[in-house]
Amino acid sequence: MDEWDEPEEENVRVYSKDEIVALQQLNAIKYPALSPWKILVLQVLVTLISAAIWSIFGGVIGVSLYTQSAFLGGLISILPTTLFLARLEVAKKSQRLNPERFLAALVSGEFLKIATTLMLFIGIAYFVPGVLWVPLLATYLFALKCVWLAWWLR
């Protein structure tokens, strides 16, 4: 008989409720929770910094098209995130909150975020003449990755 044919017994340890609570407290100290609102603030800061950096490529007087495009890219990330977080806050404050309702709020919030992002991209493509896509997409991606920056900063 081959060693692959024999099923191995798994050693599964069942934790008590007190052990689970102790592990959760230990992990809460070791890995503090990350506020989604802090991520939103980081997105705003990254957008402003990126717009300032892209303004170097524009003209000397006024706000250049590079700056506007970078700002719009950040806005495409900030607005849907704000709507998503607002949807979750409304769900958390509901009197009848249970896991099923919170999951529904999470899914509907994510759908709202995706739909808003698509509408903003399409709206900017149609209604903003001469938008520069490189600064827009670069700032959008930088703002989108603020979760990584927030994890690194904590």
Side-chain angles (χ1 to χ4, degrees):
M1 246 181 139
D2 197 346
E3 66 183 53
W4 293 96
D5 294 335
E6 295 178 25
E8 291 185 27
E9 289 186 30
E10 291 185 39
N11 293 332
V12 177
R13 181 168 186 260
V14 178
Y15 290 96
S16 70
K17 184 177 179 181
D18 294 333
E19 289 174 320
I20 294 293
V21 169
L23 283 173
Q24 287 173 338
Q25 289 174 348
L26 178 67
N27 283 337
I29 293 168
K30 205 188 268 188
Y31 307 106
L34 186 61
S35 169
W37 295 102
K38 288 182 183 178
I39 294 171
L40 187 65
V41 169
L42 277 174
Q43 283 183 327
V44 170
L45 290 174
V46 164
T47 298
L48 294 175
I49 291 168
S50 180
I53 291 171
W54 280 104
S55 69
I56 294 170
F57 296 105
V60 275
I61 299 173
V63 179
S64 72
L65 195 55
Y66 285 94
T67 307
Q68 291 173 358
S69 298
F71 182 74
L72 287 173
L75 204 60
I76 292 173
S77 180
I78 293 168
L79 287 178
T81 301
T82 306
L83 289 173
F84 176 75
L85 293 177
R87 174 69 183 107
L88 290 185
E89 288 297 321
V90 168
K92 280 197 276 187
K93 291 179 180 167
S94 172
Q95 297 294 328
R96 302 179 312 185
L97 183 65
N98 60 33
E100 187 176 290
R101 288 184 187 273
F102 190 73
L103 180 61
L106 189 68
V107 170
S108 65
E110 190 62 33
F111 176 76
L112 181 66
K113 184 177 173 182
I114 292 169
T116 305
T117 302
L118 286 174
M119 287 189 298
L120 287 170
F121 268 118
I122 292 169
I124 287 172
Y126 278 114
F127 299 115
V128 179
V131 68
L132 301 174
W133 287 98
V134 172
L136 185 140
L137 291 174
T139 305
Y140 171 72
L141 290 175
F142 289 144
L144 203 60
K145 297 305 173 194
C146 279
V147 175
W148 292 355
L149 181 62
W151 276 100
W152 183 72
L153 289 176
R154 79 176 183 150

